[in-house]
Structures are given as C-alpha cells and as structure tokens.
Amino acid sequence: MTAVQVNSMNVELWRSIAAIADSEPLMARLTKYARKLVKENEDSALYTKDEFIARVDEAKKGNSMKFSSVEELDKHIRSL
C-alpha cells in the first residue's frame, strides 16, 4: 500500500470517528471493536506451546545450517 493510500485511509478513519464522536453508544461500540482488532493483531503473531513445538519438530526434518557466530549468521542473511 502506498503512502498516499495509507494517508487517505487515515483521513477517512478520523472523519468517521468525528462523525460519531457525539454518540456515546456508537463510541462504545467503536471502542469495543477497536479492542477486538488490537487483540486479533497481537494474537496473530503468537503460537501456542504445541504449535511452536510442532514447528520446531518440522524444521528439524529439513535441511539445516550451523553458524559459528552471530556475525556469520548476519553475513549469510545479508547475502540472501
């Protein structure tokens, strides 16, 4: 998404909020929905313990590389 599109969405969002700001019931609904979106965003990056272990086990089955230092790892990542 371009900066212009992001800016346009921000403007639209703030205009919409301003349009309902005088309505306490609508602001309560908006706040509740915003909390829900924030929680979804936070949860989407987390794994359960079982999911994490399953991913580690799956990764162990494939090819792997070992690095002797962080610098060596950084060099490899930058070369990709």
Side-chain angles (χ1 to χ4, degrees):
M1 188 174 292
T2 67
V4 172
Q5 289 170 321
V6 170
N7 188 44
S8 176
M9 284 178 34
N10 285 339
V11 169
E12 182 181 353
L13 174 63
W14 287 110
R15 282 184 182 152
S16 298
I17 291 171
I20 66 168
D22 292 335
S23 171
E24 194 172 320
L26 289 178
M27 285 299 290
R29 286 175 54 196
L30 177 61
T31 302
K32 183 178 178 182
Y33 186 67
R35 269 193 231 109
K36 179 182 174 188
L37 289 175
V38 169
K39 184 169 176 28
E40 284 177 16
N41 189 41
E42 290 170 351
D43 289 347
S44 67
L46 301 176
Y47 297 110
T48 65
K49 182 178 178 180
D50 292 335
E51 289 172 329
F52 178 77
I53 291 171
R55 288 178 60 96
V56 169
D57 290 342
E58 188 64 31
K60 286 180 181 177
K61 295 177 186 175
N63 295 333
S64 64
M65 299 179 75
K66 293 186 179 183
F67 300 98
S68 60
S69 67
V70 173
E71 291 79 19
E72 188 179 336
L73 172 62
D74 286 341
K75 183 178 178 182
H76 174 73
I77 291 172
R78 288 188 177 115
S79 70
L80 296 178

